[in-house]
Amino acid sequence: MKKLVVLFAFYTFCTNPVFSQQDYEVKVITSVESIVSSGLGRSRMLSSNDERDYKEFTSEQTEDDNTRNKAKRKDIRVKNFEETKLLNFYNLGGIRFQNIVANDALISSKLTDMLTEGWDLVFVTSAVESDAGKNDDNGIFITRYIFKRKLD
């Protein structure tokens, strides 16, 4: 369900006639913050430095041709990216509010930098992944910041 909401928001953005593909480029910044007790998780802010054309990795399924998508994962992976270390929400003492505000400061710095470079923040979407079952102590808080910028 979460994936559908994100995909719908992105689809709505990309198909909006006000933002034609020819006039704008889009960039996504993702923050992943660990919700793991004892501070054992990893938290990062990520931004791709490479471009990918989704068409190269897309196949069309029809009733007559339902051939499996043959795209190779190694070709999709991006190895050229920016990674900013963030702090985990928890440490051995429990929730660590100083870590949260430290992450806020780093994320704010990145967003401010993006705005300075001419990007406009158009969508923010976030979700929490955790099964929340008995004794669940694993999870992530993920936020995607979607920017657009007019092409020259």
Side-chain angles (χ1 to χ4, degrees):
M1 181 66 179
K2 294 174 200 165
K3 290 180 184 176
L4 289 176
V5 171
V6 171
L7 290 173
F8 178 73
F10 194 69
Y11 172 79
T12 302
F13 167 74
C14 290
T15 58
N16 188 328
V18 174
F19 307 117
S20 74
Q21 244 181 333
Q22 294 80 17
D23 296 335
Y24 291 90
E25 60 182 321
V26 174
K27 183 151 182 89
V28 179
I29 307 298
T30 300
S31 65
V32 179
E33 296 171 279
S34 174
I35 307 172
V36 176
S37 62
S38 303
L40 297 174
R42 295 181 2 193
S43 299
R44 301 286 189 270
M45 182 170 40
L46 306 164
S47 173
S48 174
N49 292 331
D50 282 344
E51 293 184 12
R52 292 287 186 272
D53 183 350
Y54 79 95
K55 294 173 196 162
E56 293 178 30
F57 308 104
T58 302
S59 64
E60 187 172 320
Q61 304 289 317
T62 65
E63 191 173 316
D64 297 329
D65 181 10
N66 60 356
T67 307
R68 186 175 77 80
N69 187 321
K70 304 280 191 207
K72 303 264 189 272
R73 286 187 167 96
K74 68 180 180 99
D75 296 332
I76 299 171
R77 282 196 179 88
V78 171
K79 294 184 179 182
N80 184 17
F81 62 97
E82 182 179 280
E83 175 185 69
T84 303
K85 186 171 185 172
L86 298 175
L87 300 175
N88 298 329
F89 282 173
Y90 293 96
N91 66 9
L92 288 173
I95 192 165
R96 185 81 171 155
F97 296 108
Q98 292 165 332
N99 290 3
I100 294 170
V101 296
N103 289 355
D104 289 350
L106 290 171
I107 293 168
S108 295
S109 173
K110 176 65 176 179
L111 299 181
T112 299
D113 211 33
M114 296 289 294
L115 294 171
T116 301
E117 293 172 6
W119 293 95
D120 293 320
L121 181 63
V122 291
F123 289 106
V124 177
T125 183
S126 61
V128 175
E129 177 57 46
S130 177
D131 80 11
K134 186 176 182 179
N135 299 323
D136 178 28
D137 62 353
N138 293 310
I140 60 169
F141 185 79
I142 185 168
T143 305
R144 288 217 161 100
Y145 305 90
I146 302 172
F147 291 86
K148 72 173 176 73
R149 177 168 68 178
K150 193 163 181 73
L151 293 171
D152 294 328

